[in-house]
Amino acid sequence: MNQTKYIFVTGGVTSSLGKGIIAASLAKLLQARGYRTTIQKFDPYINVDPGTLNPYEHGECYVTDDGAETDLDLGHYERFLNVPTSQANNVTTGRVYLSVIEKERRGEFLGKTVQVVPHITNEIKERMQLLGKSGNFDIVITEIGGTVGDIESLPYIESVRQLVWELGENNGIVIHLTLVPFLAAAGELKTKPTQHSVKTLMESGIKADILVCRTEHELSDELRQKLALFCNVKREAVIQSIDASTIYEVPNLMLQEGLDVVALKKLALPEKSVPDLKQWNTFLHRLKNPKHSVNIGLVGKYVELQDSYKSILEAFIHAGAANETKINVVSVHSEYLDASNAAEKLKDLDGILVAPGFGGRGIEGKIETVRYARENNIPFLGICLGMQMAVIEYSRNILGLKDANSTEMNEGTSNAVIGLMEEQKTITDKGGTMRLGAWKCDIKEHTLAHKIYGKTSILERHRHRYEFNSDYLELLQNAGLKASGVNPDTGLVEIVELESHPFFIGVQYHPEYKSTVANPHPLFVSFVEATVEAKKK
């Protein structure tokens, strides 16, 4: 059996340089050359997972098929590679320490003093090799969160040092992503921050094999030579990562720079064939040459931070390219929406998406948005909480149940059309206890949902505690709001839609998590298509 090879991606100078995008782009190129590649993310924070984090803290929480609440970078990995990730692809300091402490309580360390080295580092190394030992991958790329020099990252950096040494020559390499800033006053790019960052890495016992330099301006040959000399890397291992108009251009830019070739050479692997990026570049061409343009409102309560709805924004990019349509996403804060200003704020939109979320803030604005979309025949898509708002709006304004609500917002409502799921009622812990991961949904024939999916059974990812109250199902169906998708095992209503509307659909699950470049999600593709049609009319 061939040994799995490992690539570690570290970051320096500043956070948010795009380690996830570089890791995903390199993985895409290696995959396009025929190597079975996966990516994992090690996060230095002490939360066990990002599931309990506010979206303003850390952007969206991404959910995998097996129900792991993970870092949003895993979304990039799936969108680029079109391969599902799992619980094993995201590890946090919290999870590592929890595991070690549980082992200590069980007496597994035979009375030893438990320390960062070797016990914590051994746990990290074990998890770093978990996917590699599965036999499913030729190359495992590990992204280390945070920045070199952070206190939090030290155990990870030490684990990488040990592992590269243990794996031996050509089996593990380190890519260091750094910033080469442009000083306007001096009119030049500065290499000193990169030199310091590499020095900090070397003080931890790690030599960078490849430097990827984020920059706003082209790196001259002279500058690359200087970086190679001062940072102790080969000249061809100084890779420029210049700002791109879209993250989906980065694999092509890395291909031009030869990042994949240098990495394979360092790992003593053959280049195999030229990367096959035909499908990828067809997508890019469609993305950059749209024939239509639409305005879609994203109505939510975390709209100040783009990353809060990362997967939704990316799903729009995939669906836009599929429809050769430029989508202008208009962020609308639901907290500042009400009956008096909804028409004014929403009047220029060709379609409306009511976003997921938790808690009572901004809820009435979402309900008002649904009413506006329904009454004005504007294509509407409601996701998770957005679907629940559609049920509440219909119950209030069509059934006349004026106090219809969710028990999440009002425990004492006499018409709880949305209620806490039965199995959630005894749960006190907040982390990892929601309905999570992929669940089945049976779709009724001759419905909008069936037309969109073209099949009667689907698997979609969930992240919620509250559900449609089936006691109101008959009332709502008779009034025109159809339940077109139901979970076969629990009877949970998964999809609601209106027949008398050009495009009105709400789903309890999160379709955005499954949209990729290679497979844009059909729900988003159909929604965008409906907005294009509506605009034409």
Side-chain angles (χ1 to χ4, degrees), residues 252-269:
N252 281 323
L253 294 174
M254 291 303 102
L255 181 65
Q256 287 165 19
E257 286 287 310
L259 175 60
D260 54 330
V261 173
V262 177
L264 288 171
K265 199 166 153 190
K266 298 257 177 208
L267 292 169
L269 289 171

Side-chain angles (χ1 to χ4, degrees), residues 451-469:
K451 186 183 160 203
I452 289 169
Y453 281 97
K455 47 188 171 185
T456 52
S457 182
I458 58 169
L459 268 178
E460 290 282 5
R461 298 179 191 176
H462 293 66
R463 185 173 187 251
H464 66 108
R465 292 186 197 280
Y466 293 82
E467 66 174 330
F468 182 108
N469 182 348

Side-chain angles (χ1 to χ4, degrees), residues 290-362:
K291 292 176 180 169
H292 320 281
S293 157
V294 292
N295 297 328
I296 295 181
L298 175 61
V299 181
K301 49 183 174 179
Y302 312 113
V303 293
E304 297 94 332
L305 184 71
Q306 287 273 307
D307 278 356
S308 300
Y309 302 114
K310 192 67 187 166
S311 292
I312 290 175
L313 297 174
E314 298 304 319
F316 273 138
I317 289 173
H318 308 153
N323 282 288
E324 297 184 86
T325 300
K326 180 178 181 353
I327 299 172
N328 305 307
V329 177
V330 181
S331 295
V332 183
H333 204 306
S334 62
E335 205 176 349
Y336 310 120
L337 263 182
D338 55 41
S340 68
N341 65 11
E344 180 55 37
K345 287 198 171 182
L346 305 172
K347 69 177 193 308
D348 296 326
L349 301 175
D350 304 306
I352 292 172
L353 185 148
V354 175
F358 295 92
R361 185 172 63 89

Side-chain angles (χ1 to χ4, degrees), residues 467-482:
E467 66 174 330
F468 182 108
N469 182 348
S470 296
D471 293 349
Y472 290 85
L473 182 57
E474 204 177 328
L475 263 177
L476 284 160
Q477 296 239 65
N478 292 341
L481 189 69
K482 297 278 184 270

Side-chain angles (χ1 to χ4, degrees), residues 186-210:
E188 62 179 349
L189 288 161
K190 288 293 183 189
T191 64
K192 195 60 80 183
T194 296
Q195 291 176 45
H196 279 297
S197 181
V198 169
K199 184 176 166 225
T200 305
L201 196 61
M202 291 185 91
E203 282 168 0
S204 305
I206 295 176
K207 178 190 176 302
D209 295 285
I210 300 172

Side-chain angles (χ1 to χ4, degrees), residues 212-509:
V212 177
C213 306
R214 288 283 283 118
T215 173
E216 294 171 13
H217 300 269
E218 293 279 342
L219 299 182
S220 67
D221 208 49
E222 188 187 358
L223 205 87
R224 290 180 190 233
Q225 198 65 48
K226 181 180 175 183
L227 280 166
L229 179 65
F230 284 29
C231 298
N232 202 18
V233 297
K234 290 244 167 67
R235 163 67 185 75
E236 75 259 22
V238 178
I239 305 289
Q240 165 183 292
S241 175
I242 201 158
D243 290 359
S245 61
T246 162
I247 57 169
Y248 298 108
E249 270 182 6
V250 179
N252 281 323
L253 294 174
M254 291 303 102
L255 181 65
Q256 287 165 19
E257 286 287 310
L259 175 60
D260 54 330
V261 173
V262 177
L264 288 171
K265 199 166 153 190
K266 298 257 177 208
L267 292 169
L269 289 171
E271 286 179 31
K272 288 192 179 178
S273 54
V274 176
D276 177 12
L277 293 174
K278 195 170 159 209
Q279 187 188 17
W280 187 271
N281 288 325
T282 302
F283 155 78
L284 257 182
H285 178 76
R286 293 172 77 108
L287 180 64
K288 290 180 162 184
N289 300 283
K291 292 176 180 169
H292 320 281
S293 157
V294 292
N295 297 328
I296 295 181
L298 175 61
V299 181
K301 49 183 174 179
Y302 312 113
V303 293
E304 297 94 332
L305 184 71
Q306 287 273 307
D307 278 356
S308 300
Y309 302 114
K310 192 67 187 166
S311 292
I312 290 175
L313 297 174
E314 298 304 319
F316 273 138
I317 289 173
H318 308 153
N323 282 288
E324 297 184 86
T325 300
K326 180 178 181 353
I327 299 172
N328 305 307
V329 177
V330 181
S331 295
V332 183
H333 204 306
S334 62
E335 205 176 349
Y336 310 120
L337 263 182
D338 55 41
S340 68
N341 65 11
E344 180 55 37
K345 287 198 171 182
L346 305 172
K347 69 177 193 308
D348 296 326
L349 301 175
D350 304 306
I352 292 172
L353 185 148
V354 175
F358 295 92
R361 185 172 63 89
I363 287 307
E364 295 303 321
K366 288 189 174 186
I367 293 168
E368 199 48 52
T369 301
V370 179
R371 185 184 67 79
Y372 181 84
R374 180 177 58 76
E375 291 179 353
N376 293 284
N377 284 335
I378 295 167
F380 165 82
L381 174 57
I383 295 177
C384 197
L385 185 67
M387 173 266 208
Q388 297 177 0
M389 295 303 103
V391 173
I392 293 170
E393 188 279 328
Y394 209 78
S395 303
R396 285 184 188 179
N397 299 324
I398 299 297
L399 291 180
L401 307 173
K402 290 298 171 201
D403 69 333
N405 214 326
S406 164
T407 52
E408 183 182 5
M409 321 309 164
N410 175 9
E411 279 188 21
T413 177
S414 57
N415 284 296
V417 291
I418 305 291
L420 189 61
M421 301 173 75
E422 217 34 64
E423 63 267 30
Q424 290 287 326
K425 291 180 179 172
T426 53
I427 288 172
T428 50
D429 280 7
K430 288 279 185 277
T433 55
M434 280 185 263
R435 180 190 185 86
L436 291 164
W439 293 78
K440 270 190 197 145
C441 171
D442 285 352
I443 296 177
K444 291 180 182 148
E445 291 188 359
H446 315 300
T447 58
L448 174 60
H450 187 252
K451 186 183 160 203
I452 289 169
Y453 281 97
K455 47 188 171 185
T456 52
S457 182
I458 58 169
L459 268 178
E460 290 282 5
R461 298 179 191 176
H462 293 66
R463 185 173 187 251
H464 66 108
R465 292 186 197 280
Y466 293 82
E467 66 174 330
F468 182 108
N469 182 348
S470 296
D471 293 349
Y472 290 85
L473 182 57
E474 204 177 328
L475 263 177
L476 284 160
Q477 296 239 65
N478 292 341
L481 189 69
K482 297 278 184 270
S484 55
V486 175
N487 179 292
D489 306 317
T490 61
L492 172 74
V493 172
E494 297 271 15
I495 309 174
V496 296
E497 59 180 67
L498 274 180
E499 285 176 325
S500 56
H501 191 282
F503 189 100
F504 187 102
I505 191 163
V507 296
Q508 181 55 71
Y509 48 82

